[in-house]
Amino acid sequence: MTQKLLFLLDTDPVPSVFDTVVAYDGGADHVIGYANVTPANVGALVDGAIYTRGPKEKQFTALFVGGGDMVAGETLFKAVRKRFFSNFRVSVMLDSNGSNTTAAAGVALLAKAKPLAGKKAIVLAGTGPVGLRAAAFLHSEGAEVAITSRQKSRADAAAAALQERFGFTPTAIEAVDNAARAAAVKGTNIVFAAGAIGVQLLEEKDWQNDPTIELLADVNAQPPLGIGGVEATDKAKERHGKIVIGALGVGGLKLKLHRACIGQLFEASDKVLDAEEIYAQAKANA
């Protein structure tokens, strides 16, 4: 039987251990990681993947673009796909910093809990990879989206990036501290916290009695959690009359989704799994 080979093209100095483990759990027979991959040096790696096996065996070779930098990942993803032509292609997935799968899982669970169309949503720390994707998925559900950053210039740059990639511009808000973020969430219905691990973005007192907030999700699993009063294990749990989802609640679906996507890479030689495709699968499995 032809072996399922997955090549990790990582933009970081060391290939991701997390992505390697999930790749094996997703069904790959062998996972080979390359570090410091850029558009300038990826060509030979792609050529090695697309020229070595015949048409019927190409589906058993796949590429995964990862690393901690979503902008670098998107640029590399484009360079990989540009190398394909005719039947000389293999399936490829983009999930830099786990952004597509994590954000897709979080928003899919929110959408399962309540319809999001017409709601006001805010993504705290919305300029990182997960925050950017979460904003895009919330918009796709019909929500009116805002993103925050400690620096207005970063929020504006993130808004411009979302306009370029997804065709919408969220409201960009400068929120330098917890007090500013507490003010920013007033009048919103959905709060999605996408900050760095171990950083609290919103205190419990600033949302527990807010009559407009209906849904909260936090992807930070390391104390202090991103949203005070939300437990990491919460999964559509009611707290203070709101539905809350914690990082491990998101993580269960994220891992299931990640593994499923890896498996699908080996079903055909022309699969392209990016934000839209991964979010569709998240909704189907939420």
Side-chain angles (χ1 to χ4, degrees):
M1 181 180 293
T2 305
Q3 297 285 291
K4 297 175 182 178
L5 307 180
L6 183 68
F7 294 92
L8 300 183
L9 308 179
D10 202 305
T11 58
D12 288 347
V14 178
S16 168
V17 172
F18 183 97
D19 290 340
T20 301
V21 173
V22 180
Y24 278 113
D25 290 346
D29 294 314
H30 298 283
V31 181
I32 303 93
Y34 291 89
N36 290 317
V37 183
T38 69
N41 63 24
V42 77
L45 299 175
V46 177
D47 290 351
I50 65 177
Y51 289 125
T52 46
R53 287 175 162 173
K56 293 182 179 180
E57 289 77 38
K58 275 185 169 51
Q59 75 181 71
F60 301 111
T61 301
L63 304 173
F64 180 100
V65 176
D69 187 328
M70 173 51 77
V71 174
E74 287 183 318
T75 303
L76 182 60
F77 192 62
K78 290 178 183 177
V80 168
R81 295 179 64 191
K82 189 175 181 180
R83 202 79 179 182
F84 298 160
F85 67 96
S86 186
N87 292 325
F88 291 93
R89 64 185 66 242
V90 296
S91 292
V92 59
M93 175 177 171
L94 172 64
D95 201 27
S96 295
N97 208 28
S99 53
N100 277 331
T101 50
T102 301
V107 177
L109 289 171
L110 290 173
K112 181 181 180 180
K114 280 190 176 184
L116 307 185
K119 303 292 186 180
K120 292 185 177 181
I122 188 165
V123 182
L124 304 179
T127 62
V130 174
L132 287 168
R133 287 310 203 236
F137 299 145
L138 288 164
H139 171 76
S140 74
E141 290 290 339
E144 179 184 331
V145 183
I147 59 174
T148 74
S149 175
R150 286 174 294 177
Q151 298 177 355
K152 185 63 161 60
S153 59
R154 290 191 64 193
D156 288 338
L162 285 165
Q163 173 60 46
E164 181 177 354
R165 173 62 178 82
F166 295 100
F168 86 101
T169 303
T171 301
I173 300 173
E174 181 179 70
V176 298
D177 54 24
N178 280 20
R181 287 185 286 271
V185 303
K186 291 187 181 301
T188 63
N189 311 117
I190 305 160
V191 180
F192 192 108
I197 60 172
V199 177
Q200 187 179 83
L201 300 174
L202 190 67
E203 295 178 56
E204 184 174 9
K205 67 180 179 61
D206 294 322
W207 64 267
Q208 62 181 353
N209 296 317
D210 190 312
T212 63
I213 294 176
E214 303 173 29
L215 298 162
L216 301 99
D218 178 20
V219 298
N220 174 18
Q222 180 174 311
L225 304 184
I227 300 178
V230 174
E231 296 294 330
T233 54
D234 287 344
K235 186 175 181 180
K237 183 177 179 64
E238 185 173 321
R239 292 186 184 276
H240 306 302
K242 296 105 171 51
I243 296 173
V244 302
I245 303 170
L248 298 182
V250 173
L253 178 57
K254 179 266 191 298
L255 282 172
K256 179 181 178 181
L257 178 62
H258 194 152
R259 294 183 189 118
C261 287
I262 294 296
Q264 290 172 26
L265 293 175
F266 300 111
E267 294 176 356
S269 60
D270 59 355
K271 291 271 188 180
V272 176
L273 300 181
D274 194 358
E276 294 84 353
E277 296 81 12
I278 293 172
Y279 185 58
Q281 293 187 43
K283 289 201 69 177
N285 289 281

